[in-house]
Amino acid sequence: MERARSKWEIIRANLPENPGTVLDIGCNEGFFTINAAKKGWFAWGFDLLENAIDYAVGTARKEGLNNVFFSEGGITPENVKKFPKFDVIFLLSIFQEICSKFSIEKGYEVFDDLLKICKGRLFFEPSSINRKYCKGERVFAVDNDFESINNWVGQLVSRSTGWKFQYIGKTAYTDNEPYRFMFLIEKKEQ
């Protein structure tokens, strides 16, 4: 739980001042979705795990939140094209799952489509280990290496025009992946 709290502090410090809508992809038990709702955001979280969604719904009810919604389901290259627009998107520790399930190129397409439905900021925390994306393929040069991952995120963001990115913090993860690096991807000012 401490890991989630420290991650939330990084996010909270980089959220826009005026609440709007937030999409939390792969929300698990809804920690970030619920915290965004507590800050006044209308938040939608979804996850493949039914028991995680049940827990999130129960927690939101206990908190008396009426500006948060949870649904069971996953993101696919097809359904992401049908999502409405959101002011903020959380893509936290789930991108590698999308790549692994569909393919790296399909994962990149999903990322591009998320930027199309994002009105302002996307919080991106990718895995720091290549094998989590797809066995045998490398997406960045060196595992657990900030410079390699930062360069890869820059290439990923450059696929879509009008966006910039910055590193905003690292979060403790596991023994074989000591840190994950979080990036804020946001629209360039016009």
Side-chain angles (χ1 to χ4, degrees), residues 22-23 25 86-91 114 117-118 121-123:
V22 66
L23 171 66
I25 300 166
F86 290 87
D87 296 304
V88 170
I89 296 175
F90 299 158
L91 188 60
L114 287 172
I117 65 163
C118 184
R121 295 181 184 180
L122 186 145
F123 290 84

Side-chain angles (χ1 to χ4, degrees), residues 31-102:
F31 179 82
F32 304 108
T33 324
I34 288 170
N35 275 292
K38 287 179 180 178
K39 293 289 182 192
W41 291 79
F42 179 82
W44 175 38
F46 68 93
D47 199 282
L48 287 171
L49 302 174
E50 181 181 2
N51 60 338
I53 292 300
D54 290 344
Y55 182 89
V57 168
T59 302
R61 281 190 188 136
K62 285 179 198 169
E63 297 279 345
L65 298 170
N66 60 5
N67 58 332
V68 64
F69 175 76
F70 292 100
S71 59
E72 183 184 345
I75 191 167
T76 69
E78 294 77 30
N79 72 6
V80 69
K81 295 174 186 340
K82 300 174 185 174
F83 285 15
K85 292 193 178 234
F86 290 87
D87 296 304
V88 170
I89 296 175
F90 299 158
L91 188 60
L92 308 172
S93 294
I94 195 72
F95 183 68
Q96 68 279 357
E97 304 295 332
I98 297 165
C99 292
S100 180
K101 182 173 183 175
F102 299 105

Side-chain angles (χ1 to χ4, degrees), residues 171-187:
T171 57
Y173 208 70
T174 63
D175 290 342
N176 66 345
E177 190 176 5
Y179 294 100
R180 286 196 173 166
F181 304 100
M182 192 181 302
F183 298 88
L184 175 61
I185 300 164
E186 59 187 329
K187 284 199 170 190

